[in-house]
Every structure is written in structure tokens, then in C-alpha cells.
Amino acid sequence: MGRRWANPEQLFPLLLKLLALGCGVALGCELGIYYAVLLRCRWPQLKDSAQRGDHRPSAPVLRALFLADTHLLGALRGHWLDKLRREWQMERAFQTAVWLFEPDAVFVLGDLFDEGKWSSPKDFKEDVRRFRMMFRRSTSTELFVVVGNHDIGFHHEMDWYKLQRFEDAFNFTSAKVVSRKGINFVLVNSIALQGDGCSICKKVENDLHQLSLALNCSRQLDSNHSSRNCKDEGIFPESAPILLQHYPLYRVSDAECTGEDSASPEEKKLLFREKYDTLSVEASKKLLWWFQPRLILSGHTHCACTVLHDQHLPEISIPSFNWRNRNNPSFLLASITATDFALYKCFMPRESTIVAIYLTAGGLAILLILFHFHFCQWVTHSLIHKHIHLTKGHRSD
């Protein structure tokens, strides 16, 4: 009887069903779910000219995608399967988002790598290759990155060598202004804003100060410079900048942060440490005074938070893009002009949802197997019973 159950003619339909179930679930969870979830996102709408009472022609709109803390695992930490899984998730999510939304620019706010501060030259080169492959995009989409503490180390671990190789790999400088469509973005190496006079810190602070003078000249905000003495006037567009950095500006904690991707209740009770969890109070005041930005975007905490500085200036901390750090990663879509901006948060598939789908599929597969063999057993018993009945009938004849 056992041999009859193992008959290929009986097993073949079961194998086909299991294969169809497995392929369907795998395609859904590893490809389709990203489209299903991200199709709910959209580019945010700016106020139109009529709503503003402004009858001038509409300003050009830059469509930008912001994400943070990808934390690609390197050669030292993490299981190979964990590395493979997380990189696949981030690549699928990013490639789906870029295909659906076709942003003009993508900004990554630090901690591209998890082990950059420890990586050998060979390992760093390999990590950069993997990052470029995962976050590839068309030539119409520009990529800009900001350095994070995991890329070059915390302040006491940072050195010129690690900083230089990161800058060379991503065309980044520790104090940089990127201007697109009349919009100024200030990219800051916030790791160097320690205020202790280290050689890197001195250079970064001096470069940032010079950039702030040039920006303020373009905006004609610097009271110390007349238009005649402003040599840098007109270098940059006349718009208030958007500040991009890895560390958030100083705040006491995440206690006031809200939203499903904010910190857990336990984490919100923890007080932030200056120069470790956030910038120092002094460095935060300097950046605000120098640049007078209209928006600040940061990463580092792995949790979402929106705070108002000086009662009017919004700072948004963007959660980690890596499922290793969060069950519900997200990114921002931004529509930006020289005078206005609108933001929309896009959540990616929850890992708990994907796990639940796989577990449900596994349970369904077990039921199919049990049903199949139970059915085969019932058919076999029926055939045997019928055969015995017919044999007895022949004998009685």
C-alpha cells in the first residue's frame, strides 16, 4: 500500500500544486508586494498659484526622494543569509520606487554602510560596488549622499583617510551646496561638528561658514556685507536652503515624536546624548544661525520624528531604510520649489506581513499534503474493497 502512495502518477498533481503555491507566494512576497504597497504613494501636491494669490508663472518643481541609514553589512558582521535578505529587500524597494516615481534626485542621509569605519580598502571597495548596484538608477536621476558615523566612525574614530575615501567614492565634500532648479541643498558632515578644534572639524566649520556667507550674499541677508562687498553674490539661487545631515539637531529626546514609525514608548523615555545621538546645542545653533534654512532633514536615530526649532522651523528625522533596523521602513517623497515644499511619507512592506504570508502558505502546503494522502488512502481502500467484493461475486457464481 505504501508503494502505491509513492506512485509518481499520484504524487505528480501534489507536486504541481505545491510548486504553484510556492512560486506564487515567492513572487508575491519578493516582487509583487513592493508594487502593491508603493502604488499607494504619490508625489505631494504643492499649493498652486491661485491658492497663494500669486499670478506669476509656476516655479520649476524638483521631485526628490530622501532615505537614510541603509547600513549595508560588510565582511565582518552579520550572517551571509541575513546580508543577502536585507540587500534584496532594499534593492527591490528602491528599484520599485525609482521605476514608479522617476525622481529627479535621490538623497541618502548617511550610514550607507554598517562597517565603513572598520573596513579594509578591499572590503570598502566591495561595499561601494554593492551599494552602487543596489541603488542604481537612470541617468536622469542624480544621487547625492551625506556621510554618517558608520561610514567613517564617530568623532574619535574619524580620520582623514576614511573621510577622503568616502568623499572620493561618492563625490561628497564635508561642506557642500547642491543647487537644482533654483533650490539650494546644504550637505553637511555632521560628524565633524564637535567644536573641539580637531583638524577635520576646523576645516569643515570654516568651509561651512564660507558657504553660509555666499548663500546669505545671494539672498542679501548678511548685514555685514553690502552688495558692493559681496563677492559671492549671485553664485547660488536666492532661495532659503534645505539642510541635509546625518545627526539631528539637538533635542532632549524623542518624547514628543508621534507616528507609527516613531520610537517605541521605552525609547522615548531615554534622553539623547549631545555629540552622539544628536549634534550639540552649540553646533545646532551655529547651523541655524549660519544658514537660516527652511527645512532640515536628518537620519541616525532610525526612527521618525518631526520637531519645530524656534517654533517654526521643521526638522524631520527619516527612519532607517533597512528592515534589519525596523519592521516598517519608509522614505520621503518631496516636491520642492525655490519657495515651497511638500512632503509625503511612503511606507514599505512590513516584514511581519511577509513572514505571516509565508507562514500561512506553509500551513496551506501542509494541509494540501495531508488532504492528498488522506484522499489517496481513501481511494486505495475503496478500490481494494471493490476488488474484494467483485472477487467474492465471481466465486459465488
Side-chain angles (χ1 to χ4, degrees):
M1 193 178 297
R3 291 196 191 106
R4 299 183 74 173
W5 289 357
N7 190 323
E9 293 181 0
Q10 295 178 345
L11 289 176
F12 189 66
L14 173 63
L15 293 176
L16 279 181
K17 292 176 183 177
L18 293 176
L19 181 62
L21 176 64
C23 289
V25 171
L27 286 172
C29 288
E30 305 305 329
L31 288 173
I33 195 168
Y34 296 99
Y35 291 93
V37 171
L38 292 181
L39 276 171
R40 293 181 287 183
C41 297
R42 64 182 185 274
W43 287 109
Q45 295 297 311
L46 292 158
K47 296 176 181 178
D48 58 27
S49 298
Q51 288 176 311
R52 293 195 304 264
D54 184 358
H55 300 290
R56 294 174 298 175
S58 297
V61 178
L62 181 80
R63 291 183 165 183
L65 187 156
F66 295 92
L67 58 96
D69 294 272
T70 53
H71 282 272
L72 267 70
L73 289 171
L76 302 176
R77 304 201 305 182
H79 191 273
W80 68 267
L81 183 60
D82 184 33
K83 183 188 300 185
L84 181 68
R85 176 67 181 157
R86 303 313 176 189
E87 291 183 9
W88 170 260
Q89 290 172 315
M90 288 191 286
E91 181 178 354
R92 281 297 89 223
F94 181 78
Q95 293 302 323
T96 303
V98 167
W99 186 82
L100 287 174
F101 303 115
E102 299 180 318
D104 299 314
V106 173
F107 295 88
V108 185
L109 304 186
D111 279 1
L112 284 61
F113 309 116
D114 194 62
E115 305 168 19
K117 58 186 179 181
W118 301 310
S119 296
S120 67
K122 180 181 177 182
D123 290 337
F124 185 80
K125 187 176 180 180
E126 172 60 18
D127 293 345
V128 170
R129 184 198 66 80
R130 285 165 39 232
F131 181 89
R132 287 176 175 163
M133 185 272 295
M134 291 168 55
F135 294 93
R136 62 192 181 276
R137 71 273 174 216
S138 70
T139 54
S140 62
T141 299
E142 294 186 274
L143 176 70
F144 302 98
V145 304
V146 173
V147 72
N149 57 286
H150 275 265
D151 300 317
I152 59 173
F154 285 100
H155 174 253
H156 64 281
E157 300 166 307
M158 174 181 62
D159 58 41
W160 284 109
Y161 168 73
K162 286 183 280 192
L163 178 59
Q164 189 63 55
R165 73 176 181 180
F166 185 90
E167 291 182 345
D168 291 344
F170 295 103
N171 190 29
F172 170 78
T173 55
S174 293
K176 182 175 183 177
V177 174
V178 172
S179 299
R180 295 293 184 274
K181 296 188 178 182
I183 304 152
N184 295 313
F185 297 94
V186 180
L187 281 61
V188 177
N189 175 1
S190 52
I191 316 303
L193 298 181
Q194 297 292 307
D196 64 351
C198 77
S199 60
I200 296 177
C201 301
K202 281 183 179 179
K203 184 179 188 310
V204 171
E205 290 203 21
N206 181 64
D207 291 347
L208 286 171
H209 186 231
Q210 294 304 313
L211 283 177
S212 73
L213 293 177
L215 282 166
N216 291 338
C217 277
S218 296
R219 298 167 62 194
Q220 299 181 352
L221 290 180
D222 195 336
S223 58
N224 296 321
H225 292 76
S226 67
S227 58
R228 289 179 304 171
N229 297 329
C230 237
K231 294 182 293 185
D232 296 323
E233 184 177 6
I235 289 180
F236 301 112
E238 298 178 13
S239 62
I242 294 175
L243 197 60
L244 306 178
Q245 57 195 40
H246 184 61
Y247 281 163
L249 297 185
Y250 178 76
R251 59 179 183 260
V252 175
S253 69
D254 270 354
E256 303 301 319
C257 305
T258 59
E260 59 181 290
D261 54 349
S262 61
S264 66
E266 295 74 21
E267 291 174 310
K268 289 181 179 181
K269 297 175 183 177
L270 302 176
L271 299 181
F272 282 154
R273 294 161 290 179
E274 292 184 67
K275 305 181 182 182
Y276 189 86
D277 299 310
T278 69
L279 286 176
S280 66
V281 173
E282 180 185 359
S284 301
K285 288 180 177 178
K286 272 186 180 179
L287 288 175
L288 293 178
W289 175 254
W290 283 346
F291 294 104
Q292 301 180 45
R294 52 180 166 140
L295 173 66
I296 303 158
L297 297 174
S298 57
H300 188 55
T301 64
H302 297 180
C303 301
C305 188
T306 300
V307 296
L308 289 179
H309 298 283
D310 299 330
Q311 305 301 315
H312 72 282
L313 175 60
E315 177 183 4
I316 297 174
S317 293
I318 300 176
S320 174
F321 193 74
N322 192 326
W323 277 261
R324 198 169 189 255
N325 298 324
R326 299 199 58 81
N327 180 45
N328 58 342
S330 61
F331 58 88
L332 283 184
L333 292 177
S335 300
I336 310 170
T337 67
T339 57
D340 198 5
F341 64 85
L343 307 174
Y344 188 94
K345 180 177 289 186
C346 287
F347 284 96
M348 293 177 287
R350 288 178 175 268
E351 184 153 56
S352 56
T353 300
I354 296 175
V355 171
I357 292 173
Y358 274 122
L359 290 176
T360 302
L364 183 57
I366 292 172
L367 290 176
L368 279 173
I369 294 170
L370 293 175
F371 175 79
H372 175 83
F373 284 108
H374 179 76
F375 180 75
C376 288
Q377 186 179 23
W378 178 79
V379 170
T380 301
H381 280 302
S382 297
L383 290 174
I384 292 173
H385 181 75
K386 184 176 181 180
H387 177 72
I388 293 173
H389 180 73
L390 290 173
T391 302
K392 287 182 179 179
H394 283 302
R395 287 176 182 173
S396 63
D397 291 339

